[in-house]
Amino acid sequence: MAALRLAGKRSLELLKLHFKPAKPSEKFRPFLMRYGVFTGADGEQLDEVLAVYMPEKHSYTGLDQVEIFCHGGQQIVRRILGELVGSGARPAEPGEFTKLAFLHGRIDLTRAEAVAQVISASTEASLKAGREHLFGAYSEHIETIRDDLVTVIADIEAGIDFLEEDGESDNAASLARITSIEQKIARLEQSYDGGRIINEGFRVVIGGRPNAGKSSLFNLLLRQERAIVTGTAGTTRDYLSEWIELSGFPVNLIDTAGLRQLGGSIEKAGQARAEEMISEANLIIWMVDLSRKTWPSLLRHDLTELPKIPILLLLNKIDLIQQTKKDLVRKIDSTVSSSTVITSCKSGRGITRLKTKLVEAIESHMPDMTSGLVVTSARHKGKLGQALRDLRRARKNLVAGESPELVVFDLRQATSALDEITGRIYTEELLGRIFSKFCIGK
């Protein structure tokens, strides 16, 4: 099935022009799905369809709206669209229907952006975050904070006209409220650390010396032979990047070239790329070849060279040695022993525990997802940061005894920043940037 949507004053007129109901005597009634035939301008019957009419103020867009459901073949959809355009309709731009819904007050801008997030969601976590925003909990929280700000502004402005005889006003109540608002916005801004992972994925880089089993692990986690695996050191010359899902979270898994002092110019270039990938990781899986007798000293050296990024230590090739886990852990620095997994990529031993550790690492970055108050948009994060700066300046000026007018100015700036999140304040450029990311028909 294909769904075709018309919005605007002539929607019902165009439907009546081309739709021949099975029961011609029945009038079109709002929200009543009707069965009939879609005909061309020349009377040719093109397809059996279902059609429904929704009047303005009661439709998704807020305008008169018609939806036609026909068979989903490309040719028949093209023919029906062609007939509608030939009769005076025009093709919708990307996101135009949702833009109309925003402009006619059906939804605010946060919920409009959530529509795109729900459509593009590739994991359970991103779908859940988008859905919570779409249902309005997030925008309601922003509006509640805004209302608190407006109340503080009104109280301070009222105090300007009613100063005490000594020329001073009691600022304690206003200061407490500003501090409370500041804390709420700060918590929202901090939630973007997890929201960014939901949208962009948790980046896990597999690093280590050559022949430690990095590509074997990469293939195991992907469940496919994506990387070439040989016994020759330095096989991987460039990084490989793929996506997996762990417990509903998107994970960007990156296999890198082994790091060592030797190697030709091509391998050196691959090592430089590996170091770049490692520096941008959310988590490093550092693999150690237990079959090398010098692995403890090599590991101690490697750990001093790695960036200050969380590390999950993977002691690989346990199947090739005769040592207990306790013996192995004893040789590791106590600072990383708690984040150590002993594996054999050949037999699959330890892979389940590794996945558990990865999920724990992701969850440690995540905010509470049950409230729907998770910032997933870099745009929102920027505006929240702007509001925080304005609030902190207002609080500083209030404590310093600056003029109430100056404090109110900063508070109004913070309010404007919140208004740009929900769409009370917007520019055509901003709307163009947001809705250009939508698909046609949404």
Side-chain angles (χ1 to χ4, degrees):
M1 294 289 290
L4 309 178
R5 177 180 286 166
L6 282 167
K9 292 182 178 180
R10 294 190 61 208
S11 298
L12 184 58
E13 175 191 335
L14 292 181
L15 179 63
K16 289 179 177 178
L17 182 64
H18 290 281
F19 178 74
K20 306 304 177 188
K23 296 181 179 179
S25 59
E26 292 184 359
K27 293 183 178 181
F28 268 105
R29 297 205 306 271
F31 310 110
L32 178 65
M33 187 76 74
R34 301 193 63 186
Y35 165 74
V37 175
F38 190 97
T39 63
D42 58 0
E44 179 187 2
Q45 295 185 347
L46 299 182
D47 195 15
E48 291 180 305
V49 301
L50 295 171
V52 62
Y53 160 66
M54 290 160 275
E56 64 176 343
K57 299 181 182 179
H58 300 284
S59 68
Y60 177 69
T61 59
L63 301 175
D64 279 349
Q65 186 173 309
V66 162
E67 293 187 2
I68 300 168
F69 301 89
C70 65
H71 290 97
Q74 291 186 10
Q75 189 58 35
I76 189 61
V77 171
R78 282 200 201 98
R79 286 291 305 275
I80 293 176
L81 284 173
E83 291 291 341
L84 292 171
V85 171
S87 297
R90 65 167 176 81
E93 298 174 358
E96 187 169 3
F97 293 114
T98 303
K99 182 179 179 180
L100 286 171
F102 164 69
L103 292 174
H104 288 90
R106 296 287 292 165
I107 55 176
D108 69 9
L109 202 52
T110 65
R111 295 179 68 187
E113 290 172 290
V115 172
Q117 187 175 347
V118 167
I119 293 168
S120 63
S122 58
T123 64
E124 183 61 32
S126 57
L127 174 60
K128 183 176 181 181
R131 192 171 58 224
E132 292 297 332
H133 283 210
L134 185 61
F135 291 160
Y138 175 71
S139 59
E140 287 173 8
H141 186 63
I142 296 289
E143 285 296 324
T144 299
I145 295 174
R146 182 190 186 276
D147 289 344
D148 291 344
L149 260 174
V150 171
T151 300
V152 175
I153 291 171
D155 288 346
I156 294 176
E157 286 183 328
I160 293 174
D161 298 325
F162 298 98
L163 290 175
E164 296 176 358
E165 291 183 2
D166 58 3
E168 296 181 359
S169 60
D170 182 10
N171 293 325
S174 296
L175 186 60
R177 291 176 111 173
I178 291 172
T179 301
S180 174
I181 294 168
E182 186 181 325
Q183 290 169 348
K184 290 176 183 177
I185 293 178
R187 282 195 293 272
L188 268 183
E189 187 195 35
Q190 290 162 7
S191 74
Y192 180 68
D193 290 342
R196 183 175 181 178
I197 291 171
I198 291 171
N199 265 2
E200 301 178 13
F202 189 76
R203 176 172 284 205
V204 176
V205 175
I206 305 173
R209 289 179 174 265
N211 226 21
K214 298 182 297 299
S215 294
S216 296
L217 177 66
F218 187 70
N219 290 341
L220 268 176
L221 293 174
L222 288 180
R223 297 184 180 180
Q224 61 173 295
E225 296 297 314
R226 175 68 174 81
I228 297 173
V229 177
T230 72
T232 304
T235 300
T236 302
R237 299 298 181 91
D238 201 354
Y239 73 90
L240 296 174
S241 176
E242 291 289 350
W243 288 88
I244 61 173
E245 183 176 340
L246 288 176
S247 295
F249 297 111
V251 177
N252 183 201
L253 192 64
I254 299 173
D255 179 25
T256 61
L259 300 179
R260 61 175 177 173
Q261 297 299 318
L262 304 175
S265 59
I266 296 178
E267 188 176 346
K268 288 291 185 185
Q271 291 173 7
R273 192 70 66 86
E275 290 172 348
E276 179 185 341
M277 292 295 104
I278 287 172
S279 68
E280 297 173 354
N282 295 116
L283 176 72
I284 303 167
I285 297 179
W286 190 258
M287 296 194 69
V288 175
D289 181 357
L290 291 176
S291 67
R292 296 185 67 171
K293 293 182 179 180
T294 58
W295 73 261
S297 59
L298 293 173
L299 175 60
R300 282 191 291 272
H301 173 269
D302 293 341
L303 291 177
T304 63
E305 298 292 318
L306 291 173
K308 301 298 181 182
I309 291 171
I311 296 172
L312 182 56
L313 194 59
L314 214 66
L315 306 183
N316 190 34
K317 304 187 183 180
I318 185 64
D319 54 303
L320 298 181
I321 64 171
Q322 301 296 322
Q323 293 187 55
T324 66
K325 177 180 179 180
K326 189 177 292 185
D327 292 334
L328 294 171
V329 172
R330 196 179 295 125
K331 298 178 181 181
I332 303 171
D333 188 321
S334 60
T335 58
V336 294
S337 60
S338 61
S339 301
T340 299
V341 179
I342 297 173
T343 64
S344 166
C345 288
K346 185 175 182 179
S347 68
R349 173 181 169 181
I351 298 302
T352 299
R353 186 164 185 270
L354 169 63
K355 291 180 179 179
T356 300
K357 286 282 189 181
L358 286 174
V359 172
E360 289 174 357
I362 297 171
E363 288 178 339
S364 70
H365 286 73
M366 299 304 298
D368 177 16
M369 296 284 289
T370 59
S371 65
L373 307 180
V374 180
V375 178
T376 57
S377 164
R379 184 182 79 83
H380 295 187
K381 199 258 186 187
K383 293 302 175 184
L384 290 168
Q386 180 182 328
L388 268 180
R389 289 189 294 273
D390 293 327
L391 281 168
R392 286 165 181 161
R393 191 163 52 246
R395 176 166 53 82
K396 182 179 177 181
N397 288 335
L398 193 61
V399 171
E402 297 288 352
S403 70
E405 290 86 355
L406 186 60
V407 175
V408 166
F409 174 80
D410 291 328
L411 294 177
R412 288 195 182 281
Q413 291 293 100
T415 305
S416 295
L418 297 183
D419 286 345
E420 289 185 60
I421 293 176
T422 59
R424 283 176 179 264
I425 297 175
Y426 66 88
T427 63
E428 284 301 321
E429 180 185 0
L430 173 62
L431 296 187
R433 194 161 61 243
I434 289 173
F435 292 108
S436 66
K437 300 174 184 177
F438 282 58
C439 58
I440 294 174
K442 295 299 179 186

